[in-house]
Amino acid sequence: MNPPATEATWDLAEAAAVLDAAATGAAPVAQLTAAAPLGLDAAYEVQRLLIERRTARGERPSGVKLGFTSRTKAAQMGVFDVIFGRLTDAMRLPDGARISLDDYVHPRVEPEVAFRLAADVRPGDTVDPETAIDAVAPALEIIDSRYRDFRFTLEDVVADNTSAAGYVLGPWTALAGAGDLANRGVRLEIDGRTAETGSTAAILGHPLRAVHAALRRARELGHPLRAGDVLLAGAATPAAALTPGSHIEATVTGLGRAAFTVAGAAGDEPAGPAVTIRNPS
């Protein structure tokens, strides 16, 4: 009599290695869940191991990000809570940078609001979310799922560090002087033309709620935060695909703008080197 078949499961370190290789090689891979089941807790462990591989190569944690802060987008995915991703210093691009699409699989960009942590927050700390931050800035996030066809389950995208690939920050404004952030206009421009418009209200109804959510998720995951860390609060409009030679700019009313440029096609490069994100993830 044959022994009963056992259901295949992922070795979590192997799953992290697969996603890391996809990011460093800018080559898409099949969904993890297409090969074997992956629960949400296991997906967050894959994410942690993925970032551990990056920090072992010399990168440093620089903050966190939230996904599915748009209630409409979350409902479409059947998701009832935000998802949490981790940022490193290698993902940060200077305002006005020029990037190369060769570093990504199929990148897209979203305009966001960023907050800056005012003090260290350990997982066991109880803090007032609105005193945990001291500044706010307009931001752009480059998202780049490493899965084929940009298709994934909730567990897949969490394991893939919520598609985090890069971010650009505009000028910081002291939170005390920023005024009410509840319903600021947000505009995404590509080559000087409006591609998307939205409002900060699209971020959980109010972007400060993202701070509450990020601190809660960091505590649940045992993830420490440090003074100066960046918190990307979530997209204020749908994402737009990046194309060669395009100039991308996000503006948040009253906060300013953040921008970057995509290098052109081979043989049509502007002067100056493109910024390369080391091992984007």
Side-chain angles (χ1 to χ4, degrees), residues 113 133 157 159 207 231 250 257 273:
V113 172
I133 54 174
V157 71
L231 191 169
R257 38 76 66 199

Side-chain angles (χ1 to χ4, degrees), residues 102-124:
D102 291 342
D103 295 327
Y104 309 94
V105 180
H106 30 216
R108 304 179 185 188
V109 63
E110 300 173 335
E112 302 211 6
V113 172
F115 293 102
R116 187 176 66 199
L117 270 291
D120 293 351
V121 181
R122 295 168 297 183

Side-chain angles (χ1 to χ4, degrees), residues 133-220:
I133 54 174
D134 63 3
V136 60
L140 286 160
E141 185 188 3
I142 300 171
I143 57 172
D144 186 33
S145 172
R146 269 58 68 162
Y147 299 115
R148 293 190 187 112
D149 303 320
F150 216 101
R151 296 175 64 86
F152 42 76
T153 67
L154 173 63
E155 293 78 14
D156 287 315
V157 71
V158 166
D160 191 29
N161 197 30
T162 66
S163 303
Y167 65 97
V168 176
L169 301 175
W172 289 111
T173 297
L175 191 66
D180 187 2
L181 301 173
N183 190 22
R184 300 289 183 92
V186 178
R187 184 171 71 254
L188 177 66
E189 292 183 57
I190 300 177
D191 295 330
R193 298 181 179 180
T194 299
E196 299 284 352
T197 58
S199 165
T200 56
I203 305 169
L204 294 175
H206 193 301
L208 285 175
R209 291 177 183 160
V211 180
H212 293 244
L215 293 178
R216 172 177 58 82
R217 297 300 272 147
R219 183 170 60 250
E220 292 167 351

